[in-house]
Amino acid sequence: GYSGANGGTGASVTQGSAVNGATTGTMYWSQAANGGAGGFTYGGQAGAGGNASSTLSRTNNNAGALSVSVASTGGGGGGSTDAGGTGAAGNASTSATITANAGTLSLTGSSTGGSGGSASSNASGKNGGTASTAIAGTVRGSASGTLYASGQGGAGGSGAGSGRSGGNGAAASVSATGYAETGALSVSAYGYGGAGGSGSGAADGGDGATQTLNNAVNGVGSGTVTLAQYAGGGSGGGSNGGVAGDGGQATSSLSRTNNAAASLSGTVTAQGGTGGSTSGASGTSGQGGNATGTVALTGSSTISGVANVYGGTGGSGGATSSSGGNGGTASSGAQANTSGNSSASASANAYGGG
């Protein structure tokens, strides 16, 4: 929109079980939904980004191998200038439930929230859009299953001008569950908090999103079960002459019992977000995000649990009058319990931020 006219709204997009097919060989399914971007404005109200939803539910009875990808991306909010209002970000949602009755399964689900609208003068940035991914996959007989779910929260838009700020990053919701009979299962869930928007002209930076995953992965079966879970806090937005955003905190916790699995292993990781840095003659740097990770696994066979935790790095100072931010703390814990004579291994590692 020009001369104070508002920007247009980005279109929302919904995809529901839009792919299918039949073969006894390898079947590939790929489905994506992408929200439209909001329109820019000169002095008016920028348009919001469109939401995106991608859902797929299918059972395949013939393919020897089934490879599935389901994704969604929210539209970015429109930007503004001349003190116009920035546009809201679009949210993203992905859901998939797939059963492979004749062969192996590789299932990937992802979602990415839209970025908040940014300002080039005298306005604050909007917060990022949320991301949500939930997948479930089933295989039969001795067939193996690999499931990978990820979510990326949207970044905050940049702000400009004293008394303004960058938008905050958004968090992601992620889960993945696998079901098998005697085949191997690998199930992973990765959640990334969105970064805070930067601030110019003495505007503050936005905070990185706090990211939490609690029992986001599970594997049910009598074969080898491998679980992985990652939570990463968003980075804080930098600032030129204002207060930089703090890095988001991260928590990754997993507690599972599986007495049927031939072996059970799980790795959790938590990474605190990096604090925003400052530039110019003055300003305050952002703090690194704190991080916590715990894993507790119980079964009747070989058990391995690992927790790796990293505090976020503090933001750097831009001048002698502005000090760098403190690093984030780190705390980890691991338990591995087996009722049989098999080996059990627990490893907990924590690294403070610099």
Side-chain angles (χ1 to χ4, degrees):
Y2 291 91
S3 302
N6 297 332
T9 300
S12 293
V13 175
T14 298
Q15 287 275 70
S17 295
V19 293
N20 203 355
T23 181
T24 57
T26 300
M27 172 65 72
Y28 298 94
W29 289 338
S30 178
Q31 178 180 297
N34 300 279
F40 192 88
T41 184
Y42 291 85
Q45 175 60 53
N51 298 325
S53 174
S54 187
T55 302
L56 180 62
S57 180
R58 291 285 185 217
T59 297
N60 185 283
N61 296 317
N62 305 111
L66 182 60
S67 178
V68 182
S69 174
V70 185
S72 62
T73 302
S80 70
T81 189
D82 297 332
T86 51
N91 302 320
S93 175
T94 294
S95 175
T97 302
I98 306 296
T99 298
N101 285 326
T104 61
L105 172 64
S106 174
L107 172 59
T108 299
S110 64
S111 60
T112 304
S115 298
S118 294
S120 58
S121 64
N122 299 317
S124 294
K126 282 292 194 293
N127 296 338
T130 60
S132 174
T133 302
I135 64 173
T138 300
V139 290
R140 306 298 185 188
S142 61
S144 61
T146 302
L147 287 76
Y148 177 86
S150 66
Q152 171 66 67
S158 59
S162 179
R164 313 291 187 172
S165 66
N168 296 327
S173 172
V174 187
S175 66
T177 303
Y179 302 91
E181 293 179 357
T182 61
L185 266 180
S186 175
V187 185
S188 304
Y190 282 64
Y192 304 91
S198 62
S200 62
D204 296 336
D207 290 332
T210 291
Q211 183 62 52
T212 299
L213 291 185
N214 178 34
N215 288 335
V217 291
N218 197 13
V220 179
S222 59
T224 299
V225 176
T226 303
L227 307 176
Q229 182 176 290
Y230 175 95
S235 298
S239 174
N240 183 351
V243 178
D246 291 332
Q249 299 187 37
T251 301
S252 184
S253 56
L254 179 65
S255 178
R256 291 297 184 203
T257 297
N258 187 332
N259 288 312
S263 67
L264 175 63
S265 63
T267 300
V268 300
T269 305
Q271 171 69 67
T274 300
S277 298
T278 57
S279 59
S282 62
T284 302
S285 301
Q287 310 299 309
N290 300 329
T292 302
T294 58
V295 60
L297 302 179
T298 300
S300 59
S301 59
T302 301
I303 306 294
S304 174
V306 178
N308 294 317
V309 179
Y310 307 87
T313 301
S316 59
T320 56
S321 59
S322 58
S323 300
N326 295 327
T329 62
S331 174
S332 66
Q335 293 186 41
N337 308 298
T338 181
S339 59
N341 293 321
S342 300
S343 64
S345 172
S347 176
N349 308 292
Y351 306 88

